[in-house]
Amino acid sequence: MFFGKKILIGITGGIAVYKTAELVRQFKKAGAQVRVVMTDAATKFVSPLTFETLSENDVLTGLFPETSSKQTAHIEWARWSDVMVICPATLNTIGKIASGIADNALTTTIMAANVPVIFCPAMNKAMFANSIYRENQKKLQEHGYYFVEPGIGELACGEVGYGRLADIETIFDAVKLRLFGKNDFSGKKLLITAGPTEEPLDPVRYLTNLSSGKMGFALAEQAKIRGAEVVLVSGPVNLRTFSGVELVHIRTAFEMEQQVLKRLEGTDVLIMAAAVSDYRPAEYSPNKLKKQDNPKSLALIMNNDILAKAGQNKGNRIQVGFSVETENEYDYSLDKLRRKNCDFIVINNPARPGAGFRNDTNRVTVLDNKGNMERYPLLSKYRVADRILDKVFNLMQNG
Ligand code: CTP
């Protein structure tokens, strides 16, 4: 995703510096080019060699480097970058920028920047609460600088409170937003479902399916990056939710139905990417079934069809379904699309190479309510999500 992007990491002197090593590694792994600028204080915590090795680039530490060719490095590096991340950002450096002070390699580079600058503060909770600091942060935000708020937890000083560096994943999300953020879905409310459902038989057994939730989570992330307000109703999966997406946990199809139906009002787009169980056991045993209690056949009752129910009262809402088929893709999916009152349906044939439940890629076909079919090539689930959202956007614009 970050391929070709140039990220400048500024490091100031705080104990959280060691976490920045992981951040640099993650950006490199995602395909970005990374350069690091450190203050003197930062080099007291971790040697520049660590960041030279991780970034595979020189590290800028002084305003007056030995080699004369680097005398204007702060200007060149500021011009080079697509985004700057100051991590960790101390009260001192934030205060200097707020006061227009440029007295070292990092502060001069920040002042020369013409790209988004994201501060990731980390400090003791009393310093964070200090009114001078609060004023400085507010002032910088008014000048267009971004902040990733610190988290609550154990601080290096032994106290517990607000001020600990935000999670690396949250910082990563903030950078993604600044690099790729669009506003084409701003003001729109999207309700997305993801993952499998679990239909319990007893406290330790349940019926489920192979859905990993990756497609629904990718849709939620891309929609958020494109400016939407996103609610993600998900069955039990082991995935991280993109910052700012509201996650609603459910277990059964019935719980999903309740959560989806009560949120429909005011929703502009409903995307049902979840693999909802069609049936649930007719009986639930509150105690674990013993071998001799186990029935030889399992009586099932049908769950309500959530998408079809939502479709009965669709109004102007755009509805997108997913259809898993291994044969007669077109006919079966067209029938589903009509029964559930969808604008279009995304057909997924898990038998095709690269498609299916647990992969990071998908090969889907999109069928609209006029019977038009479009086959997408093999793409990452993020790219598939983006193409689905492009189609939703076109419908919002042109009907
Ligand atoms: N769906 C739903 N509620 C259900 C079952 C499915 O809302 N009880 C939604 C799914 O989230 C998906 C679409 O309907 O968006 C199609 O799901 P799928 O399982 O492919 O189709 P079914 O209608 O269940 O038909 P079949 O299992 O016979 O293919």
Side-chain angles (χ1 to χ4, degrees):
M1 188 174 194
F2 283 84
F3 192 76
K5 294 294 175 193
K6 297 173 182 148
I7 302 175
L8 192 140
I9 310 261
I11 307 179
T12 69
I15 186 61
V17 172
Y18 73 96
K19 296 184 184 170
T20 312
E22 179 58 20
L23 187 68
V24 172
R25 210 183 66 86
Q26 294 281 340
F27 283 134
K28 289 291 291 181
K29 218 170 128 191
Q33 295 177 49
V34 178
R35 288 189 189 178
V36 174
V37 185
M38 296 175 82
T39 62
D40 275 350
T43 64
K44 301 275 191 294
F45 287 91
V46 177
S47 146
L49 184 62
T50 302
F51 292 103
E52 265 169 35
T53 312
L54 290 172
S55 69
E56 298 175 75
N57 263 319
D58 287 346
V59 169
L60 192 63
T61 50
L63 193 51
F64 306 107
E66 311 273 285
T67 44
S68 58
S69 64
K70 280 194 182 165
Q71 291 309 314
T72 54
H74 55 285
I75 305 290
E76 284 155 31
W77 285 37
R79 275 196 207 126
W80 169 88
S81 64
D82 293 316
V83 64
M84 282 188 195
V85 188
I86 316 306
C87 175
T90 54
L91 178 134
N92 185 43
T93 293
I94 291 168
K96 280 186 189 173
I97 301 298
S99 312
I101 296 172
D103 61 348
N104 61 30
L106 179 60
T107 46
T108 47
T109 308
I110 296 172
M111 292 306 254
N114 204 10
V115 293
V117 178
I118 305 169
F119 288 101
C120 309
M123 59 193 77
N124 168 274
K125 65 177 182 183
M127 292 161 89
F128 193 71
N130 184 299
S131 56
I132 298 177
Y133 171 76
R134 307 297 325 154
E135 266 176 37
N136 284 341
Q137 174 169 340
K138 188 162 167 274
K139 179 175 174 187
L140 288 175
Q141 282 170 319
E142 282 163 6
H143 280 271
Y145 291 92
Y146 298 94
F147 279 76
V148 180
E149 291 294 325
I152 297 174
E154 205 174 306
L155 306 172
C157 55
E159 286 182 278
V160 174
Y162 208 56
R164 183 187 149 111
L165 184 72
D167 291 343
I168 293 301
E169 289 87 358
T170 309
I171 298 172
F172 209 80
D173 288 353
V175 174
K176 265 192 196 168
L177 261 183
R178 296 283 66 89
L179 282 175
F180 306 107
K182 284 203 266 173
N183 280 323
D184 53 349
F185 277 77
S186 123
K188 299 291 175 198
K189 233 177 127 180
L190 269 71
L191 181 56
I192 298 171
T193 65
T197 60
E198 288 180 357
E199 309 298 329
L201 264 165
D202 70 10
V204 293
R205 302 182 181 95
Y206 53 85
L207 302 177
T208 191
N209 57 62
L210 281 176
S211 172
S212 64
K214 286 180 182 169
M215 194 62 239
F217 274 65
L219 276 159
E221 174 166 340
Q222 293 306 109
K224 190 75 213 167
I225 288 176
R226 293 172 73 156
E229 187 186 323
V230 185
V231 178
L232 178 63
V233 179
S234 175
V237 294
N238 195 10
L239 296 172
R240 211 191 131 257
T241 319
F242 192 77
S243 305
V245 169
E246 183 190 337
L247 179 67
V248 180
H249 288 287
I250 55 91
R251 186 176 184 210
T252 63
F254 180 67
E255 287 167 9
M256 181 171 277
E257 179 187 343
Q258 286 185 315
Q259 293 297 337
V260 168
L261 297 185
K262 83 171 184 200
R263 287 181 163 78
L264 280 181
E265 203 173 317
T267 292
D268 298 292
V269 183
L270 169 67
I271 307 182
M272 288 282 308
V276 186
S277 177
D278 291 329
Y279 296 94
R280 65 181 180 279
E283 276 182 51
Y284 172 74
S285 165
N287 293 315
K288 187 189 163 202
L289 290 166
K290 301 302 292 173
K291 213 176 291 172
Q292 59 272 28
D293 303 333
N294 277 335
K296 291 207 174 58
S297 61
L298 195 59
L300 299 173
I301 43 179
M302 202 181 278
N303 287 323
N304 286 331
D305 192 308
I306 307 167
L307 192 52
K309 264 191 144 179
Q312 284 163 11
N313 197 1
K314 182 173 173 289
N316 290 330
R317 186 175 56 247
I318 292 172
Q319 285 210 168
V320 180
F322 273 70
S323 170
V324 177
E325 296 297 353
T326 51
E327 56 174 355
N328 291 336
E329 287 177 9
Y330 184 86
D331 293 337
Y332 286 162
S333 301
L334 192 61
D335 174 57
K336 259 183 236 182
L337 176 148
R338 290 189 174 145
R339 267 193 291 121
K340 303 183 192 222
N341 202 4
C342 295
D343 292 271
F344 64 91
I345 198 156
V346 182
I347 310 169
N348 202 344
N349 182 344
R352 290 213 201 133
F357 282 130
R358 300 212 160 150
N359 291 335
D360 290 328
T361 55
N362 212 349
R363 191 191 294 272
V364 301
T365 304
V366 171
L367 177 66
D368 70 20
N369 58 6
K370 295 174 189 82
N372 302 315
M373 212 160 78
E374 196 184 339
R375 284 188 194 282
Y376 293 174
L378 182 68
L379 296 167
S380 77
K381 286 189 172 167
Y382 288 97
R383 288 293 305 132
V384 173
D386 233 4
R387 304 242 329 223
I388 292 171
L389 292 173
D390 287 346
K391 206 166 165 65
V392 169
F393 182 76
N394 280 341
L395 282 172
M396 291 191 307
Q397 296 300 103
N398 311 314

